[in-house]
Amino acid sequence: MGWKRYWDIILYRTYAELKAEAQLSYMGYVWWVLEPLLNVILFYVILAYVLEQTTVGAIGFLVVGAVIWQWFNASVMGAANSVIDAGGMLRQIYLPKMVLPLILILSSTWKFFFLLVLLILFVWVTGHPPSVSYITLPILVLLEFMVIVAFTLPLAFVMPYFPDARVTIEAILRSAMLVSGIFFPVEKLPESYRLYFHLNPMADLIEAFRAVLIDGQWPRWDLMAYVGGFSCVGLVLAIWFHNLVDRSMVKAIHR
Amino acid sequence: MGDVLISLDKVGVCYRRAQGFFKSAKSDFWALESLTLQIPEGETIGILGRNGAGKSTLLRLIANIIRPDRGKITFRPKLCTTLLSIGVGSHSTLSGRENAVLNGMMLGATKQHMMKSLERIKEFSELGDFFDEPIYTYSSGMAARLGFATALEVDPDVMLIDEVLAVGDSSFQHKSATALKNRLKSGKTAVLVSHDPRTILDLCSSAVWIENGVALAEGKADVVAKQYEKFMSSGAPHPAIIPSV
C-alpha cells in the first residue's frame, strides 16, 4: 500500500505511454530521435545559412543545447495538461495528483536517455572525445531532472484553475528557449546581462553540458550549486502546494 | 453493529461554478449541505436520491477523492475505500492482462495481489486467448467484462457502488450481479448508491434518502425505501436547485 503502489502505477503507466507512442505510428521509436534531429537541422540552416550568423560556431554546440533543451521542453509540454486530461478518472478514484505529471516526465526522460547516448557518439565523431569530466554527467542529468520536476508539477496543478494557461505555455516555452543560450554562448552577451542570464537554471545546465561534452572541462560548480538549491526549493514548494490542493483540485476540473 | 469505519459529521461540499473573467463571483453551489452519517463495519448502506441530489458527491467524499468544505469526515486509519468502477485508467495498447494489473492498482490493490489474481480474472471475464491481446481489439462488452472481473478482485475495506450492477450480455449480467450480491451478503462493508428503491431494498440493510444535499430520512432499508417510493409516486415536483448564500 501507499507509496509503493503509486510508484508501481507510475512505472506501469510510463511503460504504457512509451508503448502506445511507439505503436501508434509507423516509424515508432525512430521519431524519438528524428523529431529533435529535424529541429536541430532547421535551427542550424536558418542560423548559419539564412541569417549567416558566424557566432553559431560548430553544429555540435547547437546540438548539445537543443538536446538538453528538448528534454525540458518535452516534459513540460507533455505533463502540463496531465491533471486536466485525467479529470474523468480522478472523479472515480483517488490518486495523488503528482503521479500524473511524473508519468509523462519519466517517459520523456527515457527518450532523453536514447538521445543522450546518440549525442555522446555524435560529439565524439565530430572531434570531441570523452574526457575525465564525463564523470559529472550523472550529476548534471540529476540536476536537470530536479529542475524539470520543480517546474512541471506546480504547472500541472495550476492548470485546472487557470485553463487559459494552456494556450500560453507553448509561447512561453519558445521565448524561454531563446534566452536559454541554445544559439549563443554567454560570452556573446554584454557583461551586465550575464548575471540575469545565469539566473535561468536551464541556461546554466546547457552551459555545463557543453563544458563537459565539447570542451572536456568541469562544469561551473557555483552555478551547479545554484541550480541544485533552486530546484530543491522548487520541489519543496511543489509538494507543499500539491498537498494543499490534492483533494480539491478535482472539483475545479470542468471536463 | 460493528465498529464505525467512516463517520461524517455535518459535512458540506461546495462547487464553484465555472466563471468567466468578467462575471460576478457569487455562484457557489452546495451539492451537499449538511450530512451526518456513519458507516459501520460489515453493513451495506444504501443511498437513495434523485438525479442531482448529491449522491455522487457523497461517494467522492467517502472514496476520499475530495475533502468537505465544512464539517468533518473521519476514516479509520489505513482504511481502503474504493469506488467499484469499470476499466478506470486503462490503456488501449496494453493487453487485457496488463490492464487488469493497472486497473487493479488504480482501484487500490497492490501489484503482487493483482499478479496473483490474474488467472481468476481471466476465467471470470471469459476472455480466453483475447486476455493477452491489446484491449483496442475488444468489443465494449469484452472490455466491460474485463473491468468487472478486475474490480471484483480488488478487495477494499469499503466497497462503493454507483448504480452499475450489471455489465455485458444477459448471461454475464446475471453472473456479475450474482457475484456482487454474494460479496455484499458475505459481510462486506459497502455503500450503494441508487435512484431505484428496489435495488436498495434488495441489497441493503439500512438506507439514507438524500435530497438537495440533506438527508430526508434514515433508518432500516425497507422503511426508507417505502417513504421514498411514496414521495416519488406522489408526483412531487422536482425542487429547483437553489444556490445557497
Side-chain angles (χ1 to χ4, degrees), chain A residues 1 5 8-9 12-13 15-17 19-20 23 89-95 247 250-251 254, chain B residues 14-15 60 64-67 69 83 85 88-89 91 93-94 98 101 105 107-111:
Chain A
M1 273 305 289
R5 179 167 72 89
D8 283 336
I9 290 177
Y12 226 89
R13 289 283 295 206
Y15 158 72
E17 290 294 330
K19 191 176 170 185
Q23 279 186 357
M89 177 173 93
L90 293 175
R91 276 182 210 111
Q92 299 182 61
I93 51 149
Y94 169 73
L95 268 189
R247 284 196 165 86
V250 177
K251 290 196 298 180
H254 296 300
Chain B
C14 166
Y15 286 86
R60 272 176 218 151
N64 207 358
I65 293 171
I66 53 173
R67 288 228 169 87
D69 295 292
L83 184 69
S85 28
V88 60
H91 222 285
T93 47
L94 294 185
E98 290 167 323
V101 176
M105 290 196 295
L107 294 176
T110 62
K111 194 174 170 185

Side-chain angles (χ1 to χ4, degrees), chain A residues 5-255:
Chain A
R5 179 167 72 89
Y6 297 130
W7 181 239
D8 283 336
I9 290 177
I10 293 176
L11 292 183
Y12 226 89
R13 289 283 295 206
T14 305
Y15 158 72
E17 290 294 330
L18 291 171
K19 191 176 170 185
E21 252 183 77
Q23 279 186 357
L24 292 179
S25 59
Y26 290 111
M27 300 214 297
Y29 300 100
V30 179
W31 281 117
W32 297 359
V33 177
L34 213 55
E35 194 196 338
L37 190 72
L38 289 174
N39 279 333
V40 170
I41 293 173
L42 187 69
F43 292 156
Y44 190 72
V45 168
I46 291 176
L47 287 172
Y49 296 106
V50 180
L51 299 175
E52 294 179 341
Q53 285 279 326
T54 47
T55 56
V56 177
I59 190 166
F61 178 87
L62 201 58
V63 171
V64 174
V67 168
I68 300 309
W69 176 259
Q70 163 78 13
W71 182 21
F72 178 81
N73 190 69
S75 303
V76 175
M77 285 291 287
N81 292 318
S82 57
V83 174
I84 292 193
D85 291 342
M89 177 173 93
L90 293 175
R91 276 182 210 111
Q92 299 182 61
I93 51 149
Y94 169 73
L95 268 189
K97 307 302 167 279
M98 64 168 76
V99 163
L100 299 155
L102 281 176
I103 291 166
L104 284 136
I105 292 173
L106 282 195
S107 84
S108 75
T109 301
W110 180 249
K111 293 187 234 173
F112 168 71
F113 284 146
F114 269 77
L115 278 178
L116 186 62
V117 171
L118 288 176
L119 180 65
I120 289 171
L121 291 175
F122 177 81
V123 293
W124 196 350
V125 278
T126 51
H128 309 285
S131 70
V132 66
S133 62
Y134 266 42
I135 55 171
T136 59
L137 276 180
I139 303 175
L140 299 189
V141 169
L142 178 69
L143 281 174
E144 183 168 353
F145 184 78
M146 287 164 57
V147 169
I148 288 173
V149 176
F151 265 103
T152 312
L153 292 195
L155 188 63
F157 304 153
V158 163
M159 289 297 257
Y161 301 99
F162 303 103
D164 305 40
R166 195 185 184 109
V167 195
T168 53
I169 283 182
E170 218 175 326
I172 292 172
L173 276 172
R174 220 175 295 125
S175 350
M177 179 178 78
L178 293 175
V179 298
S180 293
I182 295 168
F183 307 107
F184 57 87
V186 66
E187 289 76 28
K188 293 286 170 198
L189 285 176
E191 196 79 49
S192 54
Y193 285 118
R194 289 187 196 169
L195 176 67
Y196 300 112
F197 179 80
H198 281 135
L199 284 178
N200 171 1
M202 281 311 294
D204 298 340
L205 281 166
I206 287 173
E207 201 177 289
F209 273 104
R210 276 181 186 142
V212 171
L213 291 173
I214 294 181
D215 306 326
Q217 288 173 354
W218 300 105
R220 268 184 62 184
W221 295 114
D222 55 338
L223 290 180
M224 291 305 98
Y226 162 73
V227 173
F230 180 96
S231 49
C232 283
V233 172
L235 286 176
V236 170
L237 288 176
I239 290 168
W240 169 79
F241 184 55
H242 173 269
N243 293 342
L244 188 72
V245 294
D246 191 25
R247 284 196 165 86
S248 55
M249 216 184 288
V250 177
K251 290 196 298 180
I253 304 174
H254 296 300
R255 60 190 176 99

Side-chain angles (χ1 to χ4, degrees), chain B residues 174-218:
Chain B
H174 180 72
K175 182 173 155 183
S176 54
T178 313
L180 201 57
K181 272 178 200 167
N182 288 341
R183 180 65 62 85
L184 294 180
K185 300 250 152 98
S186 74
K188 182 94 237 161
T189 313
V191 178
L192 191 148
V193 157
S194 183
H195 55 77
D196 181 10
R198 278 164 304 175
T199 316
I200 301 285
L201 206 54
D202 191 21
L203 294 168
C204 304
S205 42
S206 60
V208 183
W209 166 20
I210 56 175
E211 184 82 45
N212 283 342
V214 293
L216 285 191
E218 197 178 343

Side-chain angles (χ1 to χ4, degrees), chain B residues 33-225:
Chain B
E33 286 275 349
S34 170
L35 195 76
T36 300
L37 181 68
Q38 292 194 326
I39 296 165
E41 193 163 12
E43 273 200 57
T44 303
I45 296 185
I47 311 286
L48 264 170
R50 302 192 278 190
N51 290 335
K55 303 188 298 276
S56 295
T57 301
L58 177 59
L59 274 192
R60 272 176 218 151
L61 266 180
I62 299 175
N64 207 358
I65 293 171
I66 53 173
R67 288 228 169 87
D69 295 292
R70 61 184 179 209
K72 207 173 152 222
I73 179 165
T74 33
F75 296 89
R76 199 181 69 179
K78 290 195 176 165
L79 191 75
C80 174
T81 63
T82 301
L83 184 69
L84 185 93
S85 28
I86 307 290
V88 60
S90 56
H91 222 285
S92 64
T93 47
L94 294 185
S95 69
R97 185 182 295 273
E98 290 167 323
N99 266 306
V101 176
L102 185 58
N103 285 345
M105 290 196 295
M106 292 277 187
L107 294 176
T110 62
K111 194 174 170 185
Q112 295 90 306
H113 177 84
M114 291 318 293
M115 297 304 257
K116 273 187 267 171
S117 314
L118 280 173
E119 281 315 304
R120 277 198 301 276
I121 294 173
K122 184 179 177 182
E123 203 191 303
F124 193 93
S125 61
E126 300 167 14
L127 284 168
D129 291 340
F130 267 101
F131 196 50
D132 289 298
E133 296 292 322
I135 61 165
Y136 64 75
T137 63
Y138 286 21
S139 68
S140 52
M142 287 160 78
R145 262 145 55 195
L146 176 70
F148 186 88
T150 305
L152 203 62
E153 283 301 322
V154 178
D155 197 29
D157 301 314
V158 180
M159 193 152 85
L160 311 178
I161 305 163
D162 194 356
E163 305 276 5
V164 277
L165 279 175
V167 293
D169 57 22
S170 64
S171 82
F172 194 83
Q173 273 182 20
H174 180 72
K175 182 173 155 183
S176 54
T178 313
L180 201 57
K181 272 178 200 167
N182 288 341
R183 180 65 62 85
L184 294 180
K185 300 250 152 98
S186 74
K188 182 94 237 161
T189 313
V191 178
L192 191 148
V193 157
S194 183
H195 55 77
D196 181 10
R198 278 164 304 175
T199 316
I200 301 285
L201 206 54
D202 191 21
L203 294 168
C204 304
S205 42
S206 60
V208 183
W209 166 20
I210 56 175
E211 184 82 45
N212 283 342
V214 293
L216 285 191
E218 197 178 343
K220 281 203 180 304
D222 48 350
V223 181
V224 177

